[in-house]
């Protein structure tokens, strides 16, 4: 993959996107308005890339991948000749509107302008732009260099050609893009995650289980299947005659349970109780170390999945 990629914002997600594209062979320019963020990024990038190498997930030396990432303080220089611009600034409409106005003015006319926003729809920050036809959301899962899913969410005025081009670029970089057919707040992944969180909060608030045991439901239960197949394939395989059979057997019960589920308000007292259980299990001073542990566990899982895929071939 030879395209030039621009990453705007050198925080956690921006650095992860830089790794995604540099690992795929792209020349990446990584911009941030904060000089300290640019000063720190090389060390942090090398640490992450070194972990990938340790798990056999890159074939090059970490320094070779890092050499394709160039930190730049000048936005115009960052955007020059970029095929795709991936924005990662703070999650406010004001910040998105300001940076997309700049990027639209400074980038090549055919460059794709994508936001990593988790919740804002592209129509909310691109409506007045001359180049609004090439603006969309490219919502990753953290960290995107380990979890390949990216949601391509066009605005109503985004051209089909631009959306398809973005989809192809993400796929060529090794990601697993999905294309939303129309806009919706939170896209697809956050809405499904939100439904799970809502019920987990309700079950905790109702006194049915501890935080630790509710986490076990996913990590030692549903998550094991969901790591290699989705909910529809899961139920298709969980009844002798497939999905229709499953729906006939269990659909009425799921419907009745859903009718009894309530919206959780995420009130401060409930969240504080959950946080207290988490801090007992993991002190705040150990969060950063646990994040790196998580990433290395994800790397081990990705390495295992690649080995399984090779063996299947």
């Amino acid at each position: 993959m030879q395209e030039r990629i621009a990453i705007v914002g050198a925080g956690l997600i921006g650095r992860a996107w830089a790794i995604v594209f540099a690992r795929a062979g792209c020349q990446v320019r990584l911009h941030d308005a904060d000089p300290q963020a640019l000063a720190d990024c090389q060390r942090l990038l090398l640490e992450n890339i070194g972990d990938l190498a340790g798990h056999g997930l890159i074939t090059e030396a970490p320094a070779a991948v890092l050499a394709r990432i160039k930190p730049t303080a000048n936005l115009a220089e960052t955007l020059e000749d970029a095929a795709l611009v991936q924005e990662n600034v703070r999650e406010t409409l004001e910040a998105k509107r300001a940076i997309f106005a700049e990027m639209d003015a400074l980038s090549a006319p055919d460059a794709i302008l994508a936001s990593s926003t988790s919740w804002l729809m592209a129509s909310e920050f691109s409506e007045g732009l001359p180049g609004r036809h090439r603006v969309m959301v490219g919502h990753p899962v953290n960290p995107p260099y380990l979890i390949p899913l990216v949601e391509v969410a066009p605005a109503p005025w985004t051209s089909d050609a631009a959306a398809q081009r973005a989809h192809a670029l993400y796929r060529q970089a090794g990601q697993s893009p999905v294309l939303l057919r129309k806009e919706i707040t939170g896209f697809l992944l956050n809405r499904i995650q939100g439904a799970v969180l809502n019920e987990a909060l309700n079950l905790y608030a109702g006194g049915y289980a501890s935080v630790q045991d509710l986490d076990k439901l996913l990590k030692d239960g549903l998550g094991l299947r969901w790591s290699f197949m989705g909910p529809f394939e899961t139920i298709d395989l969980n009844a002798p005659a497939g999905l229709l059979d499953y729906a006939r057997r269990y659909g009425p019960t799921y419907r009745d349970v859903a009718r009894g589920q309530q919206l959780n308000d995420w009130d401060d007292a409930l969240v504080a109780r959950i946080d207290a259980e988490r801090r007992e299990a993991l002190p705040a001073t150990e969060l950063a170390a646990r994040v790196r542990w998580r990433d290395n566990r994800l790397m081990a899982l990705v390495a295992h999945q690649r080995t399984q895929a090779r063996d299947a071939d």
Side-chain angles (χ1 to χ4, degrees):
M1 188 175 179
Q2 300 299 319
E3 281 81 0
R4 177 168 288 173
I5 304 296
I7 307 295
V8 178
L12 181 66
I13 299 299
R15 294 194 305 272
W17 272 122
I19 293 171
V20 166
F21 289 106
R23 179 180 59 190
C26 298
Q27 294 298 318
V28 178
R29 288 176 178 161
L30 176 59
H31 169 79
D32 202 287
D34 180 2
Q36 190 59 51
L38 285 181
D40 292 342
C41 71
Q42 292 292 87
R43 174 183 56 82
L44 295 168
L45 285 165
L46 187 58
E47 181 178 278
N48 295 144
I49 297 168
D51 285 343
L52 287 173
H55 286 274
L57 296 178
I58 57 172
T59 56
E60 298 177 278
V65 176
L66 185 62
R68 289 196 285 270
I69 303 172
K70 178 183 178 183
T72 53
N74 183 278
L75 182 60
E77 179 188 352
T78 305
L79 303 183
E80 186 178 357
D81 298 328
L84 170 72
V85 183
Q86 187 77 36
E87 169 274 319
N88 311 274
V89 305
R90 66 185 183 279
E91 191 85 347
T92 68
L93 270 178
E94 294 76 16
K96 302 296 186 192
R97 286 170 178 163
I99 194 63
F100 271 85
E102 284 192 84
M103 296 191 311
D104 190 37
L106 294 172
S107 61
D110 59 346
I112 301 298
L113 305 182
S115 176
S116 296
T117 177
S118 296
W119 291 99
L120 301 174
M121 293 183 288
S123 59
E124 296 179 274
F125 52 81
S126 66
E127 183 173 7
L129 297 178
R132 68 180 192 169
H133 64 280
R134 41 71 172 268
V135 175
M136 67 199 72
V137 169
H139 173 231
V141 187
N142 184 35
Y145 66 90
L146 294 177
I147 304 179
L149 185 92
V150 52
E151 297 181 279
V152 179
W157 43 76
T158 306
S159 73
D160 289 341
Q164 292 297 332
R165 174 64 173 149
H167 191 281
L169 287 169
Y170 289 128
R171 188 179 66 252
Q172 290 164 21
Q175 301 303 94
S176 179
V178 298
L179 180 62
L180 273 69
R181 295 175 177 175
K182 56 184 178 179
E183 284 192 318
I184 187 169
T185 302
F187 319 114
L188 306 179
L189 185 142
N190 281 336
R191 295 183 73 88
I192 291 174
Q193 180 172 250
V196 173
L197 281 170
N198 184 76
E199 188 59 10
L201 286 163
N202 284 335
L203 290 169
Y204 180 80
Y208 292 99
S210 67
V211 168
Q212 183 178 28
D213 281 349
L214 287 166
D215 272 353
K216 283 183 181 179
L217 295 179
L218 273 293
K219 71 172 187 174
D220 295 334
L222 292 171
L224 292 176
R225 289 191 301 226
W226 288 356
S227 69
F228 58 89
M229 61 182 178
F232 292 131
E233 185 176 4
T234 294
I235 66 173
D236 195 31
L237 302 182
N238 273 5
L243 190 145
L244 288 176
D245 185 17
Y246 188 96
R248 284 192 293 265
R249 291 168 183 256
Y250 308 115
T253 303
Y254 277 116
R255 179 197 61 211
D256 292 343
V257 168
R259 284 174 175 165
Q261 290 172 331
Q262 301 294 318
L263 174 69
N264 194 282
D265 290 331
W266 291 67
D267 66 86
D268 291 345
L270 175 63
V271 173
R273 286 169 53 203
I274 294 171
D275 180 68
E277 287 200 32
R278 284 298 307 145
R279 297 291 68 80
E280 184 176 348
L282 181 71
T285 54
E286 297 177 18
L287 281 168
R290 188 67 170 178
V291 166
R292 192 168 184 191
W293 169 87
R294 176 204 66 191
D295 290 354
N296 274 274
R297 296 306 304 149
L298 283 169
M299 290 178 201
L301 176 59
V302 172
H304 169 73
Q305 289 175 328
R306 288 187 181 180
T307 299
Q308 293 296 105
R310 284 196 299 268
D311 291 347
D313 292 340

